[in-house]
Amino acid sequence: MVFEVMKVPTTPFEGQKPGTSGLRKKVKVFVQPHYLQNFVQATFNALTPEKVKGATLVVSGDGRYFSKDAVQIIIKMSAANGVRRVWVGQNGLLSTPAVSAVIRERVGADGSKATGAFILTASHNPGGPNEDFGIKYNMENGGPAPEALTDKIFENTKTIKEYLIADELREVDISKIGVTNFSGPDGPFDVEVFDSASDYVKLMRSIFDFELIRKLLSSPKFTFCYDALHGVAGAYANRIFVEELGAQQSSLLNCTPKEDFGGGHPDPNLTYAKELVERMGLGKSNSGVEPPEFGAAADGDADRNMILGKRFFVTPSDSVAIIAANAVGAIPYFSSGLKGVA
């Protein structure tokens, strides 16, 4: 299909200054005419030409409400701005750590590598038509945009007068893995939908000792529970814990990603991860069932976690300290030494 580039007149907006966590607003703000488009074009305008023209970009997120619409808008704007190809996780799902892994590790069939990514997430905030949406840009190193770039984006949002979009471009079915080809004024433009978990699982295998963890999970003395809070972590939980590590399906809780996070609040803490807290023996009720030895939960975009033990809570600082104390001996990635923690 051949597409044409449209220049759409627009007006500036006083946006929130995007930081490493990006721009977050209520969905009703993002669905206003031109609002998302202003921010995306402001970002393209802030990037150097080689990061846009002929580049490969990743577009995905935590699957919250409005994400699927936003993916299509960004695809059309990428085409109009001269991007060569866009990579999309199946169903628009990629955790924030997985996006970083895809940028750094994934190589296309033609040898292409991503130069950046639009991540669609509002982190641990609720999702749904009346809740939150967010967008942020990650760089070619997989990390968040530095302040110098976010300052440029912010200034651009206040002065922008038009944006570029290939509005007639047909929508890509992001539920099916495959490549869709288009032709435009600057030449070929491709959209590749790929398996959300494969690249991330490959990276995890290189970081952790999967065989050792598999042995632990097969022990009758060890039980665990993982709660994805209906966030994007659910796209990885079955693949990693059940298929790769041999855990029981019953060990997974709320692992179906939902646009509204099942009506819950995807913040992994004692207040919002109620089912996990109950299962770990920390709730007010006493079911009489013996709690698992280990429990964990992730936020909406799966870059923060909570860890629990049987009838006790582990503070985040303590969990980091435990990892740091055992990293060199237990985690292959740190076998040459631990450089720092965060």
Side-chain angles (χ1 to χ4, degrees):
M1 176 181 175
V2 179
F3 65 86
E4 295 181 355
V5 175
M6 294 175 57
K7 291 185 178 181
V8 180
T10 188
T11 54
F13 68 87
E14 280 289 340
Q16 162 193 326
K17 183 177 178 181
T20 57
S21 59
L23 177 67
R24 294 182 191 169
K25 296 284 185 182
K26 293 295 183 184
V27 168
K28 64 182 180 182
V29 175
F30 270 100
V31 299
Q32 294 178 96
H34 313 308
Y35 191 89
L36 173 65
Q37 291 88 333
N38 277 13
F39 182 84
V40 173
Q41 189 64 55
T43 303
F44 280 135
N45 293 350
L47 294 167
T48 56
E50 64 269 18
K51 299 289 176 61
V52 181
K53 299 291 184 181
T56 298
L57 293 180
V58 183
V59 181
S60 288
D62 61 17
R64 66 179 56 240
Y65 185 85
F66 190 57
S67 291
K68 291 177 180 177
D69 294 320
V71 167
Q72 300 295 341
I73 290 169
I74 297 171
I75 287 174
K76 293 177 180 181
M77 292 189 66
S78 296
N81 277 275
V83 171
R84 173 63 181 83
R85 64 186 63 78
V86 172
W87 290 344
V88 182
Q90 189 174 19
N91 295 310
L93 296 174
L94 281 176
S95 71
T96 295
V99 170
S100 179
V102 167
I103 294 172
R104 291 180 289 113
E105 307 288 338
R106 192 169 198 269
V107 180
D110 58 355
S112 56
K113 293 202 70 176
T115 59
F118 284 101
I119 308 178
L120 309 175
T121 178
S123 189
H124 54 277
N125 294 325
N130 299 310
E131 298 296 349
D132 298 331
F133 186 76
I135 181 171
K136 59 183 177 180
Y137 189 83
N138 272 28
M139 306 296 286
E140 69 273 11
N141 64 358
E147 189 173 3
L149 181 61
T150 58
D151 283 346
K152 285 183 181 178
I153 295 171
F154 179 53
E155 291 306 315
N156 288 346
T157 64
K158 297 189 292 184
T159 58
I160 190 171
K161 294 181 180 178
E162 65 180 19
Y163 62 83
L164 307 181
I165 189 166
D167 213 29
E168 298 302 313
L169 199 74
R170 65 179 170 84
E171 294 201 347
V172 176
D173 185 351
I174 60 174
S175 69
K176 295 180 180 178
I177 292 174
V179 181
T180 306
N181 308 111
F182 301 94
S183 296
D186 292 329
F189 172 70
D190 303 329
V191 180
E192 181 177 354
V193 179
F194 63 97
D195 180 74
S196 299
S198 295
D199 295 279
Y200 189 64
V201 171
K202 180 181 177 182
L203 180 62
M204 291 300 99
R205 284 201 206 100
S206 72
I207 293 174
F208 297 100
D209 189 333
F210 270 37
E211 283 308 306
L212 199 59
I213 299 172
R214 177 182 281 274
K215 288 179 181 178
L216 174 65
L217 297 187
S218 66
S219 170
K221 295 181 180 179
F222 183 83
T223 51
F224 88 105
C225 180
Y226 182 76
D227 189 349
L229 297 176
H230 288 302
V232 73
Y236 306 91
N238 189 76
R239 178 76 170 271
I240 292 176
F241 292 124
V242 178
E243 294 182 22
E244 294 282 335
L245 300 174
Q248 297 296 315
Q249 188 75 44
S250 58
S251 300
L252 306 183
L253 190 62
N254 300 319
C255 282
T256 301
K258 295 184 178 181
E259 289 188 334
D260 65 348
F261 305 108
H265 196 135
D267 194 349
N269 60 40
L270 296 174
T271 300
Y272 296 119
K274 294 178 182 178
E275 288 184 73
L276 178 64
V277 169
E278 287 286 338
R279 190 175 288 198
M280 295 305 298
L282 288 170
K284 294 179 180 179
S285 61
N286 185 4
S287 64
V289 177
E290 189 68 9
E293 299 294 329
F294 179 89
D299 71 335
D301 64 329
D303 63 356
R304 295 196 303 121
N305 63 61
M306 173 177 70
I307 294 174
L308 304 169
K310 182 188 292 187
R311 299 191 181 92
F312 71 91
F313 167 69
V314 183
T315 66
S317 56
D318 284 348
S319 65
V320 171
I322 293 167
I323 292 168
N326 295 279
V328 175
I331 304 175
Y333 183 81
F334 296 116
S335 59
S336 61
L338 185 66
K339 302 297 189 294
V341 296

